[in-house]
Amino acid sequence: MTRITEDLVRKRAEHNDGILATLEEVSLHQLNIDKIELLGHMCKHLRILYLQSNLIARLENLHKLKELEYLNMAVNNLTKIQNLQRCESLQKLDLTVNFLDKAGLLSVQSLQHNDHLAELYLLGNPCAEWHGYRPFIVGTLPQLRKLDGQQIPPSEGIAARQMLPGLLQQLRQELLADGIDPDKAAQAEDDSLTSDDIAETGCRDESGEMRRPWCPATRILEHRESQAQEAEAEGRRKAQQQSYCNPDDIKTQLREDFPAIQEGEDIRQKNEGKWEFTLQDSANSLAVELDVEIGRYMDTSLVKADVQPLFVRLLIKGRLLQLRLPCEVRPDSSKAERSAATGHLLLTLPKEDVSGAASNPAYSR
């Protein structure tokens, strides 16, 4: 799981020069975050917060965001609405595709304290399939102007408020019939899905394939499995990358320039800065591409490049990255590009001979 840390938020606040005290908008979506934390202390002036497509099971730690106007929590693991009463400026709340069921409808009442709330999105939640869903929401929250993107005319609001007592009684009766205590369902309680101890939700079929029901626990279990596979693959990649480099070269003094190479001298692989990189053929096999992860905050003036027919060298903050090339290239036609989004440095080295097959696969990672 990903934790919300000061470093993470600063990286996502580049549009505000990484300053958190005055940050008004931040996007933390698709990061596999499972808990909301620290934002109320670091970014008290947030107006717009994007947390969609994560694994968050509980709305919490948002009460200090007095200026928050738009909160996007779509595609998470929420089962009820809670802890937003003190978000006094909240105008738009997106809870699309979560896990609010009929019992979760009762927690909508906690939004009655948000006087400025004008838009609410709950499509894709099980509660939206209940026959009285729309009038129940509209009647419970008279301040709403839109529900699931549809305008709420005054006449609908009046009719919904008239229907509300009957709908509420019917909902409570249905929950009791399902063995659910409606009073307890309406309370803001902790969610056990944030615990590390999550039991297996599925079973294996005749072919040995795991079959799981679609529920919050399944999403977390599948994410943990994916995370473990990615960590294993990353370990293999780093081990392979280290095989290209001489570990004795790592502890060296910072260099002011490229070291001289004598004629006939054997070119040794060196990665003094332990830079993450890939060296592989381009998509059309007409060039060799070297992609180096040097960080988006590093000044380009700290990077030097030296491309030779059979090897390439980079001097990054005084640390040498020196690699033998899998084939002969044309230095005069080579080019370097820097990604403004990621900071990656991409060197494209056209091959001298493009009539043959792709480069030696031993150099592709």
Side-chain angles (χ1 to χ4, degrees), residues 301-316:
S301 64
L302 299 176
V303 183
K304 296 181 180 179
D306 176 30
V307 180
Q308 299 297 328
L310 295 175
F311 66 91
V312 59
R313 299 190 293 178
L314 292 175
L315 199 61
I316 308 170

Side-chain angles (χ1 to χ4, degrees), residues 226-242:
S226 175
Q227 196 174 43
Q229 292 170 358
E230 290 175 2
E232 183 180 354
E234 180 69 9
R236 289 196 302 268
R237 189 186 70 79
K238 286 186 176 180
Q240 187 179 30
Q241 189 177 70
Q242 288 299 320

Side-chain angles (χ1 to χ4, degrees), residues 33 101 143-144 170 221 247-249 323 330 350 361:
I33 295 169
D101 54 14
Q143 72 272 38
L144 285 184
Q170 183 178 354
L221 288 171
D248 297 333
D249 294 332
L323 301 170
R330 302 199 305 271

Side-chain angles (χ1 to χ4, degrees), residues 292-303 316 335-347:
V292 186
E293 183 179 342
I294 60 177
R296 68 178 73 177
Y297 299 110
M298 185 180 298
D299 195 316
T300 305
S301 64
L302 299 176
V303 183
I316 308 170
K335 65 177 182 178
E337 298 173 295
R338 183 88 183 275
S339 170
T342 65
H344 282 230
L345 176 66
L346 177 65
L347 271 65

